[in-house]
């Protein structure tokens, strides 16, 4: 299961935050087969328009300032599955 935050926006003053989001728990994934395509399927399941989806995750135990990772390739998507 993963917890998905979506539909919000990032702020940067006074600190970086993600506000106004919806949160859903999604059961969909086999970590060994995790990919950007998996993220696309999750976005579609949550009715997030394709053109507006930016994938990122927050590393466990980190803050937005030092642990926010944008998922730009399959290697990073795999890293998301391992964390």
């Amino acid at each position: 299961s993963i917890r998905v935050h979506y539909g919000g926006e990032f702020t940067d003053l006074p600190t970086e935050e993600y506000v106004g989001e919806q949160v859903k728990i999604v059961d969909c994934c086999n970590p060994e087969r995790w990919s950007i395509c998996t993220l696309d399927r999750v976005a579609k399941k949550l009715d997030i328009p394709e053109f507006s989806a930016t994938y990122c995750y927050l590393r466990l135990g980190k803050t937005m300032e030092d642990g926010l990772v944008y998922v730009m390739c399959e290697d990073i998507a795999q890293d998301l599955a391992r964390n």
Side-chain angles (χ1 to χ4, degrees), residues 4-10 18 35-57 69-73:
V4 179
H5 297 250
Y6 64 101
E9 63 183 341
F10 288 101
Y18 189 65
S35 69
I36 291 175
C37 289
T38 305
L39 293 172
D40 290 339
R41 285 192 298 275
V42 169
K44 185 174 183 172
K45 183 176 183 177
L46 297 175
D47 293 324
I48 300 169
E50 276 185 52
F51 64 87
S52 70
T54 299
Y55 304 127
C56 54
Y57 73 97
V69 178
Y70 286 85
V71 180
M72 307 286 283
C73 65

Side-chain angles (χ1 to χ4, degrees), residues 15-34:
T15 60
E16 190 168 15
E17 295 180 58
Y18 189 65
V19 297
E21 79 269 23
Q22 298 179 54
V23 180
K24 299 278 184 185
I25 303 296
V26 178
D27 293 317
C28 66
C29 32
N30 173 350
E32 294 174 10
R33 298 184 64 197
W34 192 259

